[in-house]
Amino acid sequence: MDKKKRIVIALGGNALGNTLPEQMKAVKITSKAIVDLIEEGCEVVVAHGNGPQVGMVNNAMIALTHEDPQQPNTPLSVCVAMSQAYIGYDLQNALREELLNRGITDIPVATMITQVRVDPDDPAFENPSKPIGRFMTKEQADMMAEKYDYIMKEDAGRGYRRVVASPKPQEIVEIGTIRTMVNSGDLVIACGGGGIPVTRQGNHLKGASAVIDKDFASCLMAKELDADILIILTAVEKAAINYGKPNEKWLGDITVDEAKQYIDEGHFAPGSMLPKVQAAVDFAESKPGRQALITLLEKAKDGILGKTGTKIQL
Ligand code: ADP
Ligand code: MG
């Protein structure tokens, strides 16, 4: 029998929804797509984003400081940790249920609270770029900027969102544990929300005020776990060049060199599609045979069967 293909899946915002009830519902659909891949004979590791959720947790924690003056502000790193646990809880429950519904009883599901080391001198700290929280109108955005000193930016034609620093992941602190669990056949959810950003201070890991892009963190995890495929599941079936323009063209199978050229030509929006294509390129060129796929959650299975999605390889 062929060796099982190891796949790292990066789940985007649409796989999780924007509110607690939405997430409960969304993870059921997401779990079906993931277990489909397991039934296809793949070994799956799950990573996910947390843009809306970390924004929600952050707002809730700000509200707490208004209610109780004893409560200091909650660092963004702690908000990421809370989002990992809350999303992991829903996801691991839904995955367990979907596996059992299909008679698969030998795959334990677990979420690993994951810290990811970043470089304190990363230029990203000087240039916040990662959108978090909900979409707002220009007027709402101006109000948030005024009231909380947030930096607000327009996000790919869809409205305004708060942006925070998004440094590149350097090291997954818990990678050894994640590898052990994956190697023993567990279905692991790790690097949620890109991982909790930390910097090293001697033996101490200090939380950083940032949100790492899950596209880059899942790429690093895929390399560290020697995965065969990195699948980035998002709200579009393919990446496009001339996106949203009359001459828009959806991309199918492309080479790393073609993808790099499109990046240079500015076809992918920073903070949304650009990090996906960059992560895909980084993974695909890291070792011959490695593939990266960008597609819709609902099309994950068609994607690994080569029927759709933007596939990037050397
Ligand atoms: P996720 O939560 O999955 O990370 P994002 O919103 O960050 O999703 O990124 C996906 C979005 O990127 C798409 O829904 C689309 O609106 C936007 N986008 C920007 N540029 C492109 C492009 N060139 N091709 C396809 N989608 C693009
Ligand atoms: Mg994103």
Side-chain angles (χ1 to χ4, degrees), residues 11-13 49-51 130-131 155 158 161 213-215 232 234 271-273 275-276:
L11 299 172
N50 72 347
K130 165 93 186 147
D155 183 8
R158 298 171 294 180
R161 292 172 90 183
D213 209 301
K214 62 105 180 34
D215 301 315
I232 301 178
T234 187
S272 60
M273 189 49 74
K276 295 184 205 317

Side-chain angles (χ1 to χ4, degrees), residues 43-72:
E43 190 181 69
V44 176
V45 186
V46 180
H48 61 81
N50 72 347
Q53 296 81 2
V54 75
M56 180 179 85
V57 171
N58 192 228
N59 287 345
M61 299 316 284
I62 289 174
L64 176 69
T65 64
H66 295 313
E67 234 161 66
D68 178 358
Q70 302 276 38
Q71 295 282 354

Side-chain angles (χ1 to χ4, degrees), residues 12-14 156 158 214-215 233-236 238-241 243 250 267-269 271-273 276:
N14 66 323
R158 298 171 294 180
K214 62 105 180 34
D215 301 315
L233 296 177
T234 187
V236 285
K238 294 175 181 181
I241 51 172
Y243 179 66
W250 299 101
H267 286 286
F268 312 116
S272 60
M273 189 49 74
K276 295 184 205 317

Side-chain angles (χ1 to χ4, degrees), residues 3 5-7 222 226-230 256 280-293 311-314:
K3 186 177 155 283
K5 283 234 183 311
R6 181 171 286 183
I7 300 185
D226 196 20
D228 302 290
I229 312 177
L230 170 66
V256 163
V281 163
D282 182 353
F283 180 69
E285 72 179 352
S286 61
K287 196 171 169 183
R290 287 182 177 172
Q291 291 177 359
L293 180 74
K311 193 203 282 174
I312 302 177
Q313 53 194 341
L314 270 177

Side-chain angles (χ1 to χ4, degrees), residues 95-298:
L95 283 166
R96 176 181 174 275
E97 188 176 331
E98 187 62 28
L99 286 164
L100 294 178
N101 286 348
R102 299 198 201 186
I104 304 170
T105 55
D106 59 346
I107 301 183
V109 189
T111 303
M112 185 71 206
I113 296 297
T114 316
Q115 303 176 91
V116 171
R117 192 174 59 75
V118 298
D119 179 351
D121 297 324
D122 192 309
F125 282 108
E126 303 300 319
N127 179 29
S129 66
K130 165 93 186 147
I132 64 165
R134 63 193 174 89
F135 289 94
M136 286 175 237
T137 63
K138 175 90 174 71
E139 292 69 40
Q140 290 171 317
D142 288 345
M143 212 249 313
M144 295 302 277
E146 174 80 48
K147 200 165 165 192
Y148 296 116
D149 248 355
Y150 287 176
I151 302 166
M152 308 296 296
K153 275 191 192 162
E154 214 282 323
D155 183 8
R158 298 171 294 180
Y160 288 78
R161 292 172 90 183
R162 180 184 174 197
V163 289
V164 298
S166 191
K168 290 283 183 312
Q170 304 294 336
E171 179 193 353
I172 298 166
V173 178
E174 289 79 14
I175 191 67
T177 314
I178 295 168
R179 192 180 288 118
T180 303
M181 293 198 290
V182 173
N183 285 347
S184 72
D186 296 5
L187 174 48
V188 180
I189 301 157
C191 289
I196 303 160
V198 295
T199 58
R200 191 182 288 141
Q201 293 188 338
N203 286 337
H204 177 63
L205 295 174
K206 184 179 187 306
S209 184
V211 174
I212 300 167
D213 209 301
K214 62 105 180 34
D215 301 315
F216 295 128
S218 46
C219 169
L220 178 59
M221 181 160 72
K223 290 195 280 190
E224 289 286 327
L225 295 176
D226 196 20
D228 302 290
I229 312 177
L230 170 66
I231 307 187
I232 301 178
L233 296 177
T234 187
V236 285
E237 188 164 341
K238 294 175 181 181
I241 51 172
N242 304 310
Y243 179 66
K245 297 188 188 144
N247 57 342
E248 176 178 80
K249 185 177 163 241
W250 299 101
L251 300 167
D253 287 16
I254 57 171
T255 64
V256 163
D257 287 341
E258 284 167 324
K260 283 182 176 171
Q261 189 194 325
Y262 298 143
I263 289 173
D264 290 344
E265 290 169 359
H267 286 286
F268 312 116
S272 60
M273 189 49 74
L274 181 62
K276 295 184 205 317
V277 180
Q278 287 173 326
V281 163
D282 182 353
F283 180 69
E285 72 179 352
S286 61
K287 196 171 169 183
R290 287 182 177 172
Q291 291 177 359
L293 180 74
I294 300 169
T295 194
L296 267 182
L297 172 69
E298 296 79 7

